[in-house]
Amino acid sequence: MHFAALQSVDPEIARLVQQEEVRQDQCIRLIPSENYVSRAVMEATGTVLTNKYSEGYPGRRYYEGQQVIDQIETLAIQRAKALFGMEHVNVQPYSGSPANQAVYLALLKPGETVMGLSLPFGGHLTHGWKVNFSGMTYRAIQYEVDPVTHRVDLDRVRELALKERPKLIFTGGTAYPCLWDFGGFAQIAKEIGAVLVADIAHISGLVVGGAHPSPAGHVSIVTTTTHKTLRGPRGGMILSTAEHAQALDRAVFPGLQGGPHNHTTAGIAVALKEAAQVEFKTYAHQIVKNAKALANELLARGFRLISGGTENHLILIDTTVAAGERPSINGKPAAKALDRAGLECNYNTIPFDPRKPFDPSGVRIGTPSVTSRGMKEDEMKKIADWMHRALVHVGDEAQLARLRAEVIEVCEAFPPPGIRI
Ligand code: DSN
């Protein structure tokens, strides 16, 4: 892209932005929570909307001059309601953690009980993990996955829920490669009178594209980021039944935040319009097809995958299991070697990990970004092969550089949205 003004005012930052653009273009981005936004989304976020304060909500603001901003926020809300099938939407949370924070503020008093999937088992910090505000402020009960299947076992969740009586139950996570049974959770929540929240940050694009069951009709509250599979700008949303609308809106503003980031709201509105197109359904289904193809190719090369594969966009690999010429390697050095070969991922804990989160046993990969650039099953085979070879040659910089060159050549044929298309 051209940054004429930026180039002239601050060539140092312009150069770094351009370097990042090239980096994103020339590597296989496998971090499952990342994506490439379209040029339209990027244009909407880089506008005069960033100049405006709009504390409050459409029609009820604390600043004048909202003639245009109100229309933008209303469009974003209407589009989200239609796509997700929920009665109420707040598009102002700055991201996923603030969205979840608002849910707590609206529904729980400090010391009351929340239940969520434990972080080292694939959950999220804000679902009650001890070093997060959620675990420090509330009484957090954490469920885990089954040691054999690596799936959430609803019988155990129910047992725990009946014993601990949480007021709030979170579903959702960041490293869970299986489908969520929102209906099953809803029955448990109903039995104990808890409010059920679906944090669909990772899978919201799959949900609107019909590639993952929707939580609508099962849960009272849905939270999501907007920049993962949904392919919007960095932001957050809370969607709910009418019953919780007022409390959630008050929690976001004035409870937690000041003025909404209007340029982000516009970008979210554009992304939601894109997600309503038929092409997005094809995209969402291809993400899952690619993830399954990649998982199968990895299994064929002897990789140990948590849950044995994937049902969504992400794959969790236990890199400590050696196979043939590939040695046992911890997640962190594995992720670093893969990055040097042009395959960007993150190291991650695996269920029942004997190692620490900063040096865990696995890596987490996913297919939203490579699918956005048009890669399909054939390229997944190449990626699995590159991953295998990079981990065979983990300390061999010349081999990693050779792989890097192959990666760049293949990337050249798949222009990423927002960068070359
Ligand atoms: N940081 C996000 C992820 O990578 O999954 C979750 O918030």
Side-chain angles (χ1 to χ4, degrees):
M1 285 177 80
H2 299 291
F3 307 103
L6 182 59
Q7 178 65 44
S8 134
V9 172
D10 192 337
E12 212 176 350
I13 288 292
R15 183 175 50 78
L16 290 171
V17 173
Q18 259 149 1
Q19 271 178 24
E20 174 62 8
E21 195 176 289
V22 171
R23 193 195 66 79
Q24 289 189 16
D25 189 355
Q26 295 189 339
C27 77
I28 297 285
R29 299 177 59 224
L30 293 170
I31 294 175
S33 47
E34 295 183 350
N35 214 327
Y36 295 99
V37 296
S38 69
R39 200 169 286 250
V41 167
M42 216 154 5
E43 281 179 4
T45 60
T47 58
V48 293
L49 302 176
T50 197
N51 296 340
K52 189 72 194 116
Y53 253 119
S54 312
E55 286 177 8
Y57 292 99
R60 297 175 281 133
R61 306 278 192 188
Y62 290 82
Y63 292 75
E64 294 312 310
Q66 309 295 340
Q67 297 85 345
V68 177
I69 300 297
D70 273 5
Q71 294 181 61
I72 291 171
E73 188 167 331
T74 302
L75 265 175
I77 290 168
Q78 285 169 348
R79 288 174 184 174
K81 277 188 192 172
L83 260 183
F84 288 93
M86 298 291 288
E87 291 170 332
H88 178 75
V89 177
N90 187 311
V91 293
Q92 295 192 5
Y94 297 143
S95 198
S97 293
N100 286 343
Q101 224 173 332
V103 172
Y104 284 93
L105 189 61
L107 292 162
L108 282 197
K109 292 190 190 69
E112 288 187 325
T113 306
V114 59
M115 189 164 95
L117 177 60
S118 170
L119 179 70
F121 289 83
H124 189 254
L125 279 165
T126 56
H127 298 178
W129 189 239
K130 53 197 171 199
V131 298
N132 182 261
F133 82 92
S134 56
M136 295 190 269
T137 316
Y138 305 96
R139 180 176 166 264
I141 304 300
Q142 304 274 269
Y143 55 91
E144 300 179 350
V145 298
D146 180 85
V148 177
T149 63
H150 299 144
R151 288 174 172 275
V152 170
D153 176 345
L154 278 185
D155 290 337
R156 286 198 203 160
V157 171
R158 179 171 176 270
E159 219 173 278
L160 198 59
L162 288 175
K163 180 166 165 253
E164 303 291 352
R165 317 292 299 186
K167 209 171 158 190
L168 201 60
I169 300 177
F170 270 91
T171 65
T174 60
Y176 186 63
C178 308
L179 299 180
W180 286 92
D181 179 358
F182 297 119
F185 268 94
Q187 276 175 16
I188 296 169
K190 193 169 170 204
E191 205 176 335
I192 60 163
V195 174
L196 182 61
V197 185
D199 179 342
I200 60 167
H202 264 257
I203 55 169
S204 53
L206 304 185
V207 167
V208 300
H212 187 292
S214 170
H218 297 297
V219 312
S220 314
I221 299 174
V222 174
T223 59
T224 185
T225 49
T226 47
H227 48 270
K228 297 187 174 88
T229 47
L230 194 56
R231 217 161 56 177
R234 307 195 78 78
M237 296 195 291
I238 307 175
L239 307 96
S240 72
T241 53
E243 183 194 353
H244 298 292
Q246 201 181 28
L248 289 166
D249 279 355
R250 279 196 186 140
V252 173
F253 173 82
L256 286 170
Q257 298 188 173
H261 293 176
N262 297 312
H263 54 302
T264 301
T265 306
I268 291 173
V270 175
L272 292 168
K273 182 169 182 179
E274 290 175 346
Q277 310 306 311
V278 65
E279 295 81 9
F280 196 87
K281 283 196 175 25
T282 311
Y283 166 64
H285 285 280
Q286 190 64 46
I287 291 177
V288 178
K289 280 191 213 164
N290 281 350
K292 287 186 173 172
L294 182 51
N296 287 335
E297 294 292 342
L298 291 168
L299 288 170
R301 287 161 181 78
F303 281 96
R304 174 177 182 250
L305 306 186
I306 300 312
S307 87
T310 183
E311 294 172 345
N312 56 23
H313 63 302
L314 75 82
I315 300 166
L316 195 53
I317 307 172
D318 178 356
T319 52
T320 64
V321 173
E325 52 184 347
R326 197 175 61 243
S328 163
I329 175 168
N330 297 332
K332 195 173 190 173
K336 289 190 179 302
L338 290 167
D339 194 46
R340 290 203 293 286
L343 303 149
E344 184 188 8
C345 66
N346 67 278
Y347 54 88
N348 218 96
T349 53
I350 57 171
F352 306 97
D353 203 327
R355 306 184 59 80
K356 297 263 179 279
F358 203 57
D359 186 18
S361 301
V363 298
R364 187 185 67 152
I365 60 172
T367 53
S369 300
V370 291
T371 309
S372 285
R373 62 194 300 171
M375 294 187 179
K376 296 216 166 102
E377 286 84 343
D378 281 350
E379 287 70 42
M380 300 307 116
K381 192 170 180 181
K382 284 199 178 84
I383 292 172
D385 190 49
W386 286 326
M387 290 185 71
H388 168 74
R389 283 161 58 200
L391 297 185
V392 167
H393 300 292
V394 97
D396 183 340
E397 292 308 318
Q399 286 284 1
L400 295 179
R402 264 195 283 282
L403 285 177
R404 178 94 192 85
E406 275 179 47
V407 165
I408 291 175
E409 198 184 320
V410 171
C411 284
E412 180 58 30
F414 294 91
I419 296 180
R420 279 191 281 136
I421 50 172

